[in-house]
Amino acid sequence: MANYRPFDVVIVGAGPAGLALGTLLRPEQRVLVLERRALPASSPPIGESLPGAAAVLLQRLQLLAAFRESGHRERGAAVSVWDEDRPVWRDAIQDPAGPGWYLDRRKFEQMLRRRALDVGVTLEEGCKQMDIRHCQGQWQLDTTLGSFSAPVLVDATGRSGHLGRRLGLRRYADDPLLCLYCFLDQAAESQDATMRIQADAHGWWYTVNLPYGQRVLAYHMDVDDPLCRRLLRRPDAFLARAREHALLVEVLAGLAPARLRGRPAGSSLLEVEQLPKAGPGFLAIGDALLAFDPLASQGLFHSLASAASAAKAIESGLHQSLGAYQQEMQAVSQRYLWHLKASYQGPRRFSHATFWQRRQ
């Protein structure tokens, strides 16, 4: 019979949501974070911004001062060619919470990791296999790294929602949106902080200069679009197509093609009312609960905000507070879906195109 090492909370997934939740629960709770990967990802993750409203969450994590000193770039203006075939500018200073930041994402995640370890979170990495069961009020996990138990189990496994799916929960994910992206070397002295968004018949583009001397260029389109397969094979064609747009060519001139990557990017939602079906003491946070379309530009903020809400529910007694957490997350999902639908209704000049018809 396994000898289970006891914790108050086990969090599966050491991304921003899982690390933030672990930090918020310490030192009152004994927290274990389990991560499948043994090493950080070799390529910088896409998802590079936080709104000004995140300052409150960073302060709660006691990270705001360190964050401000880490070299993240303050957001500049945003310019988009979306509803009409002309650029529309929006200055970041109009945001009442402040302009927000473009992140050095690796540095940001390293900061979260250090903070979690500093406050006493137990982090186990390289957890390749895991058997889970619920027995006598405890979640019991037999893993390649040992056996652990806790009354509270949290899915922070990201967009895959791997843990929730293993426990029989359904996800709503029928959007074939794929993000094709690359990181282009940018002159270190470049001070352009403008975010540029461009709609076309096959999807929409996004580019911004990042703090560490690179520019991200991303194209969001349907995975079953034949153009998608052609571009994936040819980074030079990807860059050439972006340069067909006047809004983009002025910041892409002189930049060389780079390795092209692709990842699923459509909305993916756990049916929040299902949470009790997984078993007593189960929660999901971050992308495992609601993975945002990149157009919303809220994914990283949601990871921190849902972690804060989950921490409050756990500290208040999860059995009593789960209903309030469910209601809050359902409200977040409903607002998000309403605004997303309204945004995709915008480019009427492409209403005949398959990509836009699917989202109207």
Side-chain angles (χ1 to χ4, degrees), residues 41-116:
S42 57
S43 60
I46 192 171
E48 317 82 12
S49 68
L50 275 175
V56 175
L57 301 172
L58 293 169
Q59 183 63 49
R60 195 173 303 175
L61 291 162
Q62 298 182 35
L63 283 172
L64 184 57
F67 176 82
R68 292 189 185 280
E69 296 170 0
S70 295
H72 304 293
R73 175 173 290 181
E74 189 172 280
R75 275 181 175 176
V79 57
S80 62
V81 177
W82 194 262
D83 292 348
E84 300 178 11
D85 193 15
R86 61 180 181 83
V88 176
W89 289 79
R90 184 179 186 277
D91 199 306
I93 201 171
Q94 295 176 346
D95 190 324
W101 304 271
Y102 298 122
L103 305 183
D104 181 328
R105 180 67 184 267
R106 271 200 185 129
K107 188 179 291 186
F108 179 72
E109 293 196 5
Q110 289 167 357
M111 181 185 70
L112 290 174
R113 187 180 187 276
R114 285 194 302 270
R115 177 63 182 156

Side-chain angles (χ1 to χ4, degrees), residues 9 11 15-26 29 53-62 112 154-156 283-287 289 299-318 321-322 324-326 328-329 332:
V9 181
I11 303 166
L19 292 172
L21 176 58
T23 298
L24 291 168
L25 291 173
R26 290 289 298 162
Q29 309 271 351
V56 175
L57 301 172
L58 293 169
Q59 183 63 49
R60 195 173 303 175
L61 291 162
Q62 298 182 35
L112 290 174
V154 181
D155 186 354
L283 279 182
I285 58 174
D287 283 357
L289 180 71
L300 197 52
F301 177 78
H302 171 68
S303 292
L304 301 181
S306 62
S309 296
K312 180 180 177 181
I314 293 168
E315 289 166 344
S316 301
L318 189 56
S321 304
L322 180 59
Y325 178 77
Q326 288 177 261
E328 181 183 355
M329 293 302 109
V332 169

